[in-house]
């Protein structure tokens, strides 16, 4: 089955710096890759996602890149702010249809220091 | 719309006790999921229901049972709770033909 590895497990940056979190997946059939942000004591919330027919997607300060050949994808946060501090999870699935089960990475705790 | 709701928010059980975690969604989604979240382990799928009337095991189903009561509701039952089941449990739902899963607020369960 699918396996998703996520690195680093913790990341500390200064406010205004960029942060990059990387994930690798094992199943070449996976075609949907979401990123979730989870603040302390809250539910995971989708912040951005990418499908295998796209190499990069941006939404304001957040971007995700996908390399299908190498089977890895990354989350990039620019101009980090203290409110970006949270745990971020990547995931992979074969998408849509009747299953669409997500396999999650173990998470990255991002701390943005003012 | 309330989205995905879960009850209770917190629960403390003794080893061997049973309980049912409730989940409901008002988004007319077909698929529903139960995850557990443990420190450093991410979210792991316990059971899922691709549509009303069907349920399937996920990655960590041992010690749990589920019921898809109707399209809106998906419950998770612990028949004989064990300390290893201490965790935060999240329910999620998804519409067919889409990829995004929407999560409930979670239930924090402690088994003593």
């Amino acid at each position: 089955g699918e396996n998703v590895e996520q690195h680093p497990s913790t990341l500390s940056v200064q406010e205004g710096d960029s942060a990059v979190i990387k994930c690798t997946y094992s199943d070449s059939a996976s075609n949907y890759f979401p990123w979730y942000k989870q603040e302390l004591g809250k539910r995971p919330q989708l912040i951005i996602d990418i499908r295998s027919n796209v190499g990069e997607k941006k939404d304001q300060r957040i971007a995700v890149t996908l390399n299908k050949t190498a089977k890895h994808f990354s989350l990039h946060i620019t101009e980090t702010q203290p409110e970006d501090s949270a745990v971020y999870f990547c995931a992979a699935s074969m998408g849509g249809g009747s299953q669409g089960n997500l396999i999650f990475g173990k998470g990255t705790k991002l701390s943005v220091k003012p | 719309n309330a989205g995905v709701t879960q009850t209770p928010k917190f629960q403390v059980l003794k080893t061997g006790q049973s309980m049912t975690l409730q989940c409901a969604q008002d988004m007319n989604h077909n698929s529903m999921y139960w995850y557990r979240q443990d420190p450093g382990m991410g979210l792991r799928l316990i059971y899922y229901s691709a549509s009303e009337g069907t349920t399937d095991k996920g990655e960590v189903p041992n010690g749990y049972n589920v019921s898809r009561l109707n399209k809106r509701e998906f419950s998770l039952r612990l028949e004989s709770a064990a300390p290893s089941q201490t965790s935060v449990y999240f329910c999620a739902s998804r519409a067919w033909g889409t990829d995004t899963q929407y999560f409930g607020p979670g239930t924090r369960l402690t088994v003593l």
Side-chain angles (χ1 to χ4, degrees), chain A residues 15-36:
Chain A
E15 183 176 359
D17 288 349
S18 295
V20 180
I21 302 170
K22 299 181 179 181
C23 290
T24 60
Y25 61 99
S26 61
D27 193 336
S28 57
S30 291
N31 59 15
Y32 173 65
F33 307 93
W35 286 89
Y36 283 82

Side-chain angles (χ1 to χ4, degrees), chain A residues 8-15 17-21 80 85-86 108-114:
Chain A
S9 57
T10 60
L11 180 60
S12 182
V13 299
Q14 288 295 133
E15 183 176 359
D17 288 349
S18 295
V20 180
I21 302 170
T80 53
S85 295
T108 296
K109 183 177 182 180
L110 174 64
S111 299
V112 180
K113 299 179 179 178

Side-chain angles (χ1 to χ4, degrees), chain B residues 14-31:
Chain B
K14 294 181 180 178
T15 297
Q17 288 185 317
S18 62
M19 80 161 294
T20 300
L21 282 64
Q22 306 287 353
C23 173
Q25 51 89 13
D26 62 1
M27 297 178 284
N28 201 35
H29 286 174
N30 301 89
S31 301

